[in-house]
Amino acid sequence: MNNAKLKKESKLCCFVIIVLMFLCVVPMILVLSSSLSTEEDIIKYGYSFVPRHFSLDTYVFMFANKGKMILNSLWMSVRTVLCGTLYTLVITVCFAYAVSQKKKVFRFAKPLSFFAWFTTIFSGGVLPWYIMCSQYYGLRNNAWALFIPYGISVWNMFIVRGAFRSIPEEIFESARLDGASDFRCFVSIAIPLAKSGIVTVALFSVLTYWNDFHLSQWLITKADFYTLQKLLYSMLSSASFLLQNSTGMESILSNIQIPAETAKMAVAVIAIAPILVAYPFFFRYFVKGINVGGIKG
Amino acid sequence: MNKNGKSKKNTLLKEVKSSWFYWMLALPGIAVLIAFSYIPMAGIYLAFENYSFKGGIFGSEFVGLKNFEFFFKNIATAIRATRNTITINLGGIVVGIIINVSVAIILNEIINEKFKRLAQAVMLLPHFLSWIVVGALSEAFLDTDGGIINQIICFCGGDPVSFYSSPGYWWGIMIFAIVWKGFGYGSVVYYSALLGIDPALYEAASIDGASRWRKIWNITLPLLKPTIIIMFLLNLGGILGGSIDMMAGMTKLNPLLLETTDTINTFLYRATIQNSQFGMSAAVSLYQSVFTCILVLGANLLAKKVDPDYALF
């Protein structure tokens, strides 16, 4: 084989991939650098990849003047992620275990699978959903509205079902012979053995809740219940949002220039940072989850 | 007869008794599915009535097809929304597949395993950002005064382009954003399909003197075909949907850009929340659901015809 040519081609491939990697990282560097610039520089020279004058002014301003708003939305996001993940996970894992059973154990396993799957091909649309949530279930402008409607994600349920199904039947049989109850089989055998599937789904749902905007866009109008994403959206969509929701009058009276541009970038950084920090830990679970859920469904 | 019925009842009782544990496990899931998926399906009935807050979904005045009349009176907006939705989503899917498959093949040609993992990790990163954050990122690039793209244009001596008030650019921008956000995820999927290909095939081809391109064209691509078709089918179902996050995050529902960025979902949002035209949006919502369902079933049928193995269900 022509070894030199092979090496050259491989180098070319590496180069293409490096360019693509660069393309993924560059926007984030830009946002970080902008949040660390001064507002005047952004207005005068535009966004830049390296801050012209390094300053933490934006962050200081945000936490000094808007601290309550930011911490409140951060708390909303964190609380939604915690409650939501727990809630989704319990429902999904229980349902998945029931439908993973063989026909002779649970006759309705297959019909219930279909019952869940059908919702992925036909839906009533967002409008009836919105009316049911906001007027009948009382899920409007409260913390519940941020996670209750996402009780079960059908694709995640299928990932967990796959994990339960891959456990060898003999393990359960021998446990039953030893007198283990159904409950015992579920809690002490099935869940520990399907751990990696469950962890994957848990991480998926953490990200879903952290990044969610759909629920807060439809069901939340009060600033008290804004999550970080909704706060960022409000800041991006109206330049005067920071002025409207001033915590105290002094910021308007003293006529401080509000760093509107850098403030947006700072909130974006706050929204990205937790994902970046946790990323190295969850990456391998995600690749696994994508491979299971991406194809086999 | 009587005896028969009694024994049937007994088996049912036995059935429930033997599987009550599994029923209990499934119950919360069933409740959530009914509350948030099945009842809204029945709520499609909304499209045939004059909705009022007092009457609710099932007690408002029945008006038959009047909402659809209204819908057809606004047909220009509906067609515009459908056109934008399909262009942006289909563009994202098609360009996405081309890029994802190429990236997966390139990744497969790289020998260094460590570098490959790092590359996957970095390229997957955008997938985990929310659309709102992507909107913030894109603002730093597209901003008229200080955006990076306009800085480059000015540097080259051109006039700055005001992206946030020129709808003409937005199909391209949206498709680029969709592909940028999704190519890491897509290439991981195709890459793992590539790993499943028997290396003996490539060795045999090498012995026969096949070039790298030939091997890609005659071995890799045909073997990836089922994965490509399945991914296409999976995505096709969402072609009339797409999240409101995406459009809201990228355009902030900017009225100046509606010509090319008003999709069915943003249209529904505006009609419902901003204008309270419930009947009209119910009609649009029904139209969206029905066509999505037809699309999914049709695509699946087509796949089954080509090769039963390709079908999703």
Side-chain angles (χ1 to χ4, degrees):
Chain A
M1 271 301 287
N2 193 339
N3 226 341
K5 200 183 160 203
L6 205 77
K7 252 195 182 143
K8 204 177 144 203
E9 278 177 349
S10 185
K11 259 192 191 139
L12 188 74
C13 291
C14 279
F15 176 73
V16 174
I17 294 292
I18 287 172
V19 170
L20 289 173
M21 284 160 74
F22 199 63
L23 217 67
C24 292
V25 179
V26 155
M28 278 171 251
I29 296 175
L30 183 63
V31 166
L32 182 66
S33 128
S34 308
S35 75
L36 294 171
S37 303
T38 54
E39 180 77 4
E40 297 97 75
D41 281 345
I42 299 278
I43 288 171
K44 217 166 166 184
Y45 305 107
Y47 296 94
S48 63
F49 290 102
V50 182
R52 264 166 220 273
H53 299 96
F54 180 86
S55 93
L56 286 169
D57 287 358
T58 312
Y59 289 93
V60 171
F61 169 85
M62 291 299 277
F63 280 99
N65 289 286
K66 306 285 161 191
K68 211 174 139 202
M69 189 168 78
I70 292 201
L71 289 178
N72 185 48
S73 65
L74 197 62
W75 166 235
M76 269 295 157
S77 281
V78 170
R79 196 165 69 171
T80 306
V81 166
L82 292 178
C83 298
T85 304
L86 191 69
Y87 164 78
T88 311
L89 210 58
V90 168
I91 292 180
T92 306
V93 169
C94 290
F95 192 86
Y97 185 67
V99 298
S100 74
Q101 295 305 312
K102 292 260 158 40
K103 200 180 168 187
K104 62 177 194 293
V105 183
F106 183 42
R107 208 149 59 92
F108 288 89
K110 204 130 193 222
L112 279 179
S113 275
F114 178 81
F115 182 76
W117 171 81
F118 184 72
T119 61
T120 65
I121 60 161
F122 190 75
S123 81
V126 72
L127 183 71
W129 173 86
Y130 165 71
I131 291 178
M132 290 312 295
C133 287
S134 61
Q135 278 170 42
Y136 290 82
Y137 305 148
L139 296 173
R140 194 179 158 75
N141 279 332
N142 53 44
W144 301 101
L146 289 168
F147 66 91
I148 292 288
Y150 283 172
I152 191 164
S153 150
V154 175
W155 295 120
N156 285 350
M157 192 276 287
F158 284 135
I159 292 178
V160 182
R161 187 185 71 169
F164 281 135
R165 278 191 176 163
S166 65
I167 302 171
E169 190 63 24
E170 293 80 34
I171 297 181
F172 292 108
E173 275 164 18
S174 63
R176 289 222 168 82
L177 280 181
D178 289 343
S181 63
D182 287 341
F183 179 74
R184 191 80 208 229
C185 282
F186 175 50
V187 173
S188 312
I189 299 173
I191 289 183
L193 286 177
K195 205 175 72 193
S196 97
I198 294 173
V199 170
T200 305
V201 166
L203 288 170
F204 274 136
S205 99
V206 166
L207 269 171
T208 308
Y209 284 112
W210 179 261
N211 283 339
D212 184 61
F213 178 67
H214 179 83
L215 292 179
S216 43
Q217 178 76 342
W218 281 95
L219 302 173
I220 303 292
T221 50
K222 267 202 201 129
D224 296 351
F225 300 105
Y226 275 16
T227 58
L228 212 54
Q229 307 288 341
K230 177 87 177 174
L231 177 73
L232 179 58
Y233 175 75
S234 308
M235 287 172 62
L236 288 171
S237 60
S238 87
S240 55
F241 179 78
L242 279 180
L243 272 175
Q244 287 165 11
N245 286 282
S246 276
T247 40
M249 283 304 281
E250 60 275 3
S251 58
I252 302 173
L253 292 176
S254 61
N255 216 357
I256 305 171
Q257 194 205 2
I258 290 187
E261 296 299 322
T262 51
K264 288 175 194 170
M265 298 301 147
V267 175
V269 169
I270 298 173
I272 301 174
I275 296 180
L276 280 186
V277 170
Y279 195 60
F281 304 102
F282 63 60
F283 171 67
R284 70 195 174 95
Y285 284 104
F286 270 113
V287 173
K288 217 186 268 165
I290 290 169
N291 292 339
V292 178
I295 300 297
K296 285 154 202 145
Chain B
M1 185 71 193
N2 194 12
K3 201 181 163 193
N4 217 348
K6 203 176 169 191
S7 79
K8 211 173 191 179
K9 204 174 167 191
N10 270 344
T11 49
L12 193 75
L13 210 74
K14 221 168 123 192
E15 157 73 35
V16 172
K17 217 172 171 184
S18 72
S19 58
W20 69 271
F21 175 68
Y22 299 108
W23 277 113
M24 291 307 289
L25 283 184
L27 207 61
I30 296 173
V32 168
L33 283 170
I34 289 178
F36 296 104
S37 298
Y38 283 92
I39 293 179
M41 274 184 215
I44 284 176
Y45 177 61
L46 195 71
F48 305 100
E49 57 186 12
N50 181 14
Y51 182 81
S52 64
F53 279 91
K54 221 174 84 201
I57 291 190
F58 303 105
S60 296
E61 179 201 1
F62 182 81
V63 294
L65 296 174
K66 200 151 190 178
N67 287 324
F68 289 89
E69 215 173 89
F70 197 50
F71 171 66
F72 281 110
K73 262 187 204 145
N74 282 295
I75 194 81
T77 327
I79 288 177
R80 184 181 78 178
T82 310
R83 181 197 66 193
N84 290 336
T85 313
I86 292 182
T87 311
I88 290 170
N89 286 333
L90 196 66
I93 294 173
V94 172
V95 178
I97 284 179
I98 296 170
I99 302 277
N100 298 348
V101 172
S102 317
V103 173
I105 290 175
I106 293 173
L107 217 52
N108 199 30
E109 299 288 321
I110 290 172
I111 302 151
N112 189 337
E113 280 299 321
K114 254 196 181 140
F115 176 72
K116 241 193 287 204
R117 279 193 75 75
L118 178 74
Q120 279 189 326
V122 172
M123 292 191 298
L124 204 53
L125 203 52
H127 176 73
F128 300 122
L129 304 179
S130 73
W131 273 110
I132 310 302
V133 168
V134 176
L137 301 182
S138 62
E139 200 169 304
F141 279 90
L142 300 173
D143 195 50
T144 315
D145 301 321
I148 293 293
I149 292 182
N150 275 323
Q151 283 182 40
I152 295 173
I153 292 177
C154 288
F155 185 76
C156 298
D159 288 325
V161 180
S162 166
F163 288 104
Y164 286 101
S165 55
S166 0
Y169 297 101
W170 279 86
W171 281 352
I173 293 172
M174 287 312 302
I175 292 172
F176 182 85
I178 292 172
V179 173
W180 179 79
K181 196 166 181 293
F183 85 94
Y185 182 93
S187 60
V188 168
V189 171
Y190 292 112
Y191 178 70
S192 45
L194 280 179
L195 289 183
I197 296 176
D198 186 0
L201 285 173
Y202 291 109
E203 277 160 32
S206 303
I207 291 168
D208 288 345
S211 70
R212 192 179 282 234
W213 285 112
R214 232 186 136 79
K215 278 189 272 184
I216 289 174
W217 191 252
N218 287 338
I219 301 174
T220 315
L221 283 179
L223 286 173
L224 273 186
K225 213 167 90 184
T227 314
I228 294 175
I229 290 179
I230 289 176
M231 290 300 281
F232 183 72
L233 287 180
L234 272 176
N235 290 326
L236 204 62
I239 202 170
L240 282 181
S243 56
I244 186 148
D245 309 24
M246 180 172 89
M247 299 317 289
M250 291 295 289
T251 68
K252 289 95 201 169
L253 305 179
N254 186 341
L256 293 172
L257 301 175
L258 286 184
E259 186 53 36
T260 53
T261 63
D262 192 21
T263 61
I264 297 179
N265 277 342
T266 56
F267 175 69
L268 278 175
Y269 179 75
R270 285 186 305 121
T272 312
I273 304 274
Q274 293 172 359
N275 307 332
S276 297
Q277 298 167 311
F278 281 85
M280 163 98 165
S281 27
V284 176
S285 198
L286 176 62
Y287 147 85
Q288 182 188 24
S289 310
V290 169
F291 271 91
T292 300
C293 191
I294 292 173
L295 261 173
V296 176
L297 296 177
N300 194 58
L301 208 71
L302 206 72
K304 226 177 219 168
K305 229 170 203 165
V306 178
D307 186 336
D309 287 347
Y310 293 169
L312 283 178
F313 44 87

